[in-house]
Amino acid sequence: MKYYIIAGEASGDLHGANLMKELKQLDPQAAFRVWGGDKMRAQGGEMVVHYSQMNFMGFFEVAANLFTILKLLRKCRRDILAYQPEVVILIDYPGFNMRIAHFAHLNNIKVFYYISPSVWAWHQSRVFQIKQWVTRMFVILPFEKEFYARFGVEVEFKGHPLPDELTNYLRLGKAEICQHLNLDNRKVIALLPGSRPQEITKIFKVMLSIIPEYPQHQFVVAGVSTLPKELYTKIIGNAPVRLFFNETYKILQIADAAVVTSGTATLETALFKVPQVVCYKANYISYLIARQLARVNYISLVNLILNKPIVKELLQAELNTRTLKAELDKILVSESIRQNMRNQYEELAKMLGGTGASARIAESMLRLLKVQPKKRE
């Protein structure tokens, strides 16, 4: 069977790769043409466009790159018609993927949407488009099934795929990781500045500004290889930090605390049971528009899923050296705060459905495609 998969950012590449791995186990004839990243390529995906060429965030940034986005949309439509897949699998990235969903629907190609757009936060009108254009929505957040049910849309929740990805790393010992990263015996504060250039430029400098306040700790930056190293090093300058690429999970396993840009990384940090402070800063115009449209009380996935303020969120002007230090002090010093956060993380992990989500989703997709899955080895 021919699958056409589109992911527009790092987390989508990760989840897309895990899904591809499971689909190959069940469908020996699986062939993949993808818009994604290195992880999807490693699973045998024939790459059309790397997500680093389509990683735009915020209303202002999208408007500034509108010509490029429209050009990519035209390329994608032509490529889908040329490839003639049995199904298009769209992973999050709604500004682009919703348009592709409409196109595929008009051309009688099945559409599976894996990882729902945040329609519960804004753009609720998209629910009606999803109902019309998408063959089946696969959600990964527990509250999304109930949300869609209110609109009469049947979706499937098979759990969140992250626990599977983390399992391999939890087998490693702290001493082994510290030796691998060549770190000393001081406690580690992890800095996760995001996976988009806009996030690095607006948030990373504030993260680095607190380093002089913690001489007894070592700071480790989790970089992503899809961004230029110079983007990080220019901001770091002479700051005493260690920068590693594609080592996020190892870093989180040894971290005593973390400062994290809002996104999937907040959930990853929680699953490693690391106390965290969440940061977010966008273009001011984009932020004002988002604030007017938003229908949720929180920005981090941890707080959204648990529906209460478990981790502190520092947004826009509130994100500065003084407030960041104050919040980091709390999770470094107070054992009761740290333990309460970890207890809430345990509840969060249960809500996500444990391991095996990618396999269950692959099985559901093949059932809907009326493909007899091969028995697992």
Side-chain angles (χ1 to χ4, degrees):
M1 178 154 303
K2 293 163 68 175
Y3 304 84
Y4 200 101
I5 308 180
I6 304 173
E9 54 192 355
S11 61
D13 179 44
L14 171 67
H15 300 321
N18 288 334
L19 178 64
M20 289 166 66
K21 179 181 178 181
E22 299 298 336
L23 286 170
K24 288 191 298 182
Q25 286 277 328
L26 299 170
D27 178 8
Q29 304 304 315
F32 303 99
R33 193 159 170 84
V34 304
W35 294 50
D38 297 338
K39 290 182 172 61
M40 292 171 70
R41 195 202 311 265
Q43 287 298 327
E46 183 182 357
M47 186 71 67
V48 183
V49 172
H50 196 283
Y51 72 76
S52 59
Q53 299 179 42
M54 44 197 292
N55 208 352
F56 308 112
M57 179 185 73
F59 298 95
F60 181 80
E61 291 79 5
V62 168
N65 292 280
L66 187 58
F67 177 77
T68 299
I69 295 169
L70 292 174
K71 185 177 179 181
L72 289 169
L73 280 166
R74 288 194 295 271
K75 179 183 179 74
C76 187
R77 290 171 180 139
R78 289 195 300 266
D79 197 60
I80 288 173
L81 289 181
Y83 188 61
Q84 286 295 300
E86 277 80 12
V87 63
V88 172
I89 301 175
L90 307 172
I91 303 177
D92 200 0
Y93 200 58
F96 190 93
N97 276 341
M98 285 298 295
R99 288 167 173 79
I100 297 302
H102 186 204
F103 173 79
H105 171 74
L106 291 176
N107 285 275
N108 298 311
I109 301 171
K110 287 185 173 64
V111 178
F112 292 160
Y113 212 126
Y114 176 38
I115 306 179
S116 170
S118 302
V119 288
W120 32 266
W122 49 58
H123 289 316
Q124 284 197 5
S125 61
R126 280 179 170 161
V127 174
F128 303 105
Q129 296 172 336
I130 288 169
K131 188 174 184 177
Q132 183 179 359
W133 303 338
V134 175
T135 309
R136 183 60 55 89
M137 172 70 73
F138 296 86
V139 301
I140 63 171
L141 302 177
F143 62 81
E144 291 177 317
K145 189 174 178 67
E146 180 183 349
F147 169 82
Y148 275 103
R150 297 205 301 266
F151 294 89
V153 180
E154 182 182 358
V155 303
E156 296 193 29
F157 172 66
K158 301 293 184 180
H160 199 290
L162 267 180
D164 282 327
E165 186 67 18
L166 270 56
T167 300
N168 294 330
Y169 290 87
L170 291 173
R171 299 191 184 109
L172 299 175
K174 183 172 182 178
E176 181 184 359
I177 295 172
C178 287
Q179 183 178 12
H180 170 73
L181 299 178
N182 195 26
L183 300 175
D184 58 44
N185 59 4
R186 289 177 295 166
K187 291 184 177 180
V188 172
I189 297 176
L191 302 180
L192 281 68
S195 60
R196 299 181 177 95
Q198 303 97 315
E199 295 170 336
I200 306 296
T201 55
K202 292 184 179 297
I203 296 171
F204 192 24
K205 189 174 181 179
V206 182
M207 290 182 173
L208 294 171
S209 71
I210 63 172
I211 292 177
E213 305 292 338
Y214 300 94
Q216 303 305 313
H217 292 77
Q218 55 188 326
F219 284 77
V220 182
V221 179
V224 293
S225 60
T226 51
L227 297 178
K229 183 178 180 180
E230 294 73 23
L231 181 63
Y232 295 92
T233 55
K234 183 177 180 180
I235 299 173
I236 289 173
N238 296 321
V241 300
R242 301 291 305 279
L243 170 63
F244 298 97
F245 291 93
N246 300 330
E247 300 282 16
T248 301
Y249 290 174
K250 291 187 180 75
I251 292 169
L252 286 175
Q253 193 171 343
I254 61 172
D256 193 62
V259 181
V260 187
T261 295
S262 179
T264 302
T266 64
L267 197 55
E268 293 170 322
T269 303
L271 291 174
F272 277 103
K273 300 182 176 62
V274 180
Q276 64 181 299
V277 181
V278 176
C279 305
Y280 179 80
K281 183 177 285 190
N283 173 277
Y284 186 65
I285 296 174
S286 295
Y287 175 74
L288 287 178
I289 295 171
R291 190 173 66 175
Q292 293 299 315
L293 295 175
R295 296 171 178 265
V296 292
N297 296 321
Y298 308 109
I299 193 169
S300 70
L301 286 170
V302 175
N303 292 345
L304 278 167
I305 294 170
L306 290 168
N307 196 30
K308 50 187 173 182
I310 302 305
V311 299
K312 179 64 178 179
E313 301 175 351
L314 297 177
L315 314 180
Q316 295 298 108
E318 192 179 10
L319 175 59
N320 56 62
T321 305
R322 179 183 58 82
T323 55
L324 182 53
K325 179 184 183 303
E327 295 303 326
L328 189 57
D329 282 346
K330 292 177 185 177
I331 62 173
L332 285 171
V333 174
S334 173
E335 187 54 38
S336 63
I337 291 176
R338 293 172 63 81
Q339 190 56 50
N340 177 64
M341 197 174 288
R342 291 195 192 100
N343 292 341
Q344 297 296 329
Y345 287 168
E346 292 281 358
E347 181 63 26
L348 174 69
K350 292 177 185 176
M351 294 174 68
L352 294 180
T355 59
S358 296
R360 292 189 290 270
I361 291 165
E363 289 168 359
S364 290
M365 286 184 173
L366 290 181
R367 185 184 68 248
L368 290 167
L369 293 169
K370 295 181 170 54
V371 174
Q372 183 63 39
K374 176 186 173 184
K375 291 185 178 181
R376 295 184 181 276
E377 296 178 358

